[in-house]
Amino acid sequence: MTTIALIDPVSLIGEELRDQLGRRPDLWQDLVLVSRLEEQIGTLTSIDGAAAMVKQADPESLNGADIAVFCGSMEGNEELFARLPASATRLLFGNAHGFEATAVVAGVNELEMGHGETLLTPHPSGVLLSHLLHPLRDFGIEQAVATLIEPASFYNKAGLDELYAQARNLVALVDQQPSEIFGRQLAFNLYPSHQPADGLVSQVAAVVGSKVEFRRLQGSVFHGISAALTLRFRQDIHPDEAREALAAHPWCVMHEDPETLGPIDAAQSDLVLIGPVDPGLDHRTLSIWAVMDNLTRGGASNALRILDVLAGTESVS
């Protein structure tokens, strides 16, 4: 059995992954919750209904860890990372600048990893794009252009709290407070994202072998990513062929009401929901609309699948 350490387990991703691991006791013998953040240390939480406390993180607290999952920013956790046992697998989330890691997306390239490596569950937008591009790779993708509408939860709990406060104040006709997270009014609004784009293109290319041009927009939704993807192929393709290929992918499903599909439909879902798949300007282009929960399939569920494979449920190359 395996000892898994969750570093910064009170982040949004950490909470979701902790909940999912609580329902999968077959994957671990011991689940250690640690953090270097003052606001997390001493937090009383639970794992599958049993009380658990977040303890002070130091290299000694991770000595017995077989897998260390860094659920928050890597800033400030460099020493913990470096002093983990050489045999330990390190799993990072999102944009892990300065760390060499193998980007892994469940159902796409999950067998291209092994124990003792540094692995990365990519930025949630990269996870979504990977799930859309991978099933269509055999048609010969020549160009991919995406518009991504991203949620406030990319800024963790502080982003959710600020969006909620803005919406409440607008409805109540109360003067807005200065915006510390978004820099302006986000509620009932949409504008270019301020999130750093470094790494997203390279992460998607590493996973599926295709480069994507994209525009990232900051949406006034709490959870869920929406993607409008335009693809050009090297050969003619019919929308029905694309629909069939997407529906065959294990983590994609064609939504029953595609014309009304929005990020709210993906809340707490473990799947990528596909909306309209329409022909483009000629027989070689398609446009696809899809949504995904960034905390489940875009984060914790992807990590859980990686842990599943490492535990031997599936073969590891």
Side-chain angles (χ1 to χ4, degrees):
M1 293 289 282
T2 301
T3 296
I4 299 176
L6 300 187
I7 297 95
D8 300 337
V10 190
S11 64
L12 291 177
I13 284 290
E15 289 182 344
E16 181 65 36
L17 181 56
R18 192 182 69 238
D19 288 345
Q20 293 197 25
L21 282 170
R23 298 190 291 271
R24 290 294 310 277
D26 57 305
L27 290 180
W28 49 275
Q29 182 178 29
D30 193 14
L31 194 57
V32 179
L33 310 181
V34 296
S35 181
R36 295 181 69 256
L37 301 175
E38 293 277 343
E39 63 270 24
Q40 292 194 20
I41 297 170
T43 299
L44 184 63
T45 182
S46 65
I47 301 172
D48 195 26
M53 181 175 290
V54 181
K55 299 179 180 179
Q56 170 76 48
D58 55 51
E60 288 70 32
S61 67
L62 302 180
N63 276 344
D66 300 297
I67 301 173
V69 185
F70 291 83
C71 302
S73 170
M74 291 302 295
E75 186 177 352
N77 283 322
E78 296 88 350
E79 182 183 1
L80 290 176
F81 179 93
R83 293 184 60 179
L84 278 163
S87 61
T89 302
R90 297 151 170 84
L91 179 57
L92 319 180
F93 281 91
N95 294 320
H97 300 296
F99 295 87
E100 289 191 16
T102 300
V104 179
V105 174
V108 178
N109 68 331
E110 62 190 25
L111 301 184
E112 298 176 9
M113 62 180 184
H115 294 279
E117 297 182 7
T118 299
L119 307 175
L120 176 73
T121 177
H123 187 283
S125 293
V127 173
L128 174 56
L129 291 173
S130 296
H131 281 300
L132 296 175
L133 293 169
H134 177 68
L136 303 174
R137 68 196 185 285
D138 290 341
F139 294 101
I141 298 172
E142 188 173 78
Q143 185 182 37
V145 181
T147 297
L148 300 163
I149 303 174
E150 299 177 333
S153 52
F154 275 10
Y155 292 85
N156 223 307
K157 293 179 182 178
L160 297 179
D161 290 344
E162 186 166 290
L163 176 57
Y164 173 76
Q166 287 185 3
R168 179 192 59 200
N169 290 343
L170 283 167
V171 171
L173 302 179
V174 175
D175 290 340
Q176 291 288 350
Q177 299 299 312
S179 175
E180 298 180 4
I181 302 299
F182 302 111
R184 59 163 302 171
Q185 178 187 322
L186 174 62
F188 312 109
N189 198 9
L190 181 72
Y191 54 78
S193 173
H194 299 151
Q195 286 275 324
D198 298 349
L200 182 53
V201 172
S202 60
Q203 286 177 12
V204 174
V207 173
V208 297
S210 299
K211 289 189 175 181
V212 184
E213 301 175 49
F214 59 87
R215 162 70 72 182
R216 297 171 68 183
L217 302 177
Q218 180 62 61
S220 57
V221 295
F222 290 98
H223 301 293
I225 311 168
S226 303
L229 178 64
T230 300
L231 297 173
R232 183 169 182 80
F233 298 88
R234 298 187 184 93
Q235 61 188 51
D236 289 357
I237 183 172
H238 192 277
D240 287 344
E241 294 179 286
R243 294 186 191 102
E244 183 178 353
L246 289 165
H249 184 59
W251 303 115
C252 290
V253 64
M254 308 306 294
H255 194 257
E256 59 187 11
D257 193 0
E259 299 301 329
T260 64
L261 178 65
I264 194 171
D265 298 299
Q268 291 297 300
S269 174
D270 209 27
L271 299 169
V272 175
L273 307 184
I274 311 293
V277 179
D278 295 323
L281 295 176
D282 57 45
H283 295 301
R284 292 168 54 195
T285 58
L286 291 175
S287 63
I288 300 170
W289 172 256
V291 297
M292 181 193 74
D293 189 310
N294 54 297
L295 296 179
T296 55
R297 178 50 46 202
S301 297
N302 194 57
L304 187 72
R305 178 60 178 173
I306 291 171
L307 298 176
D308 228 348
V309 173
L310 292 173
T313 302
E314 299 288 344
S315 298
V316 180
S317 60

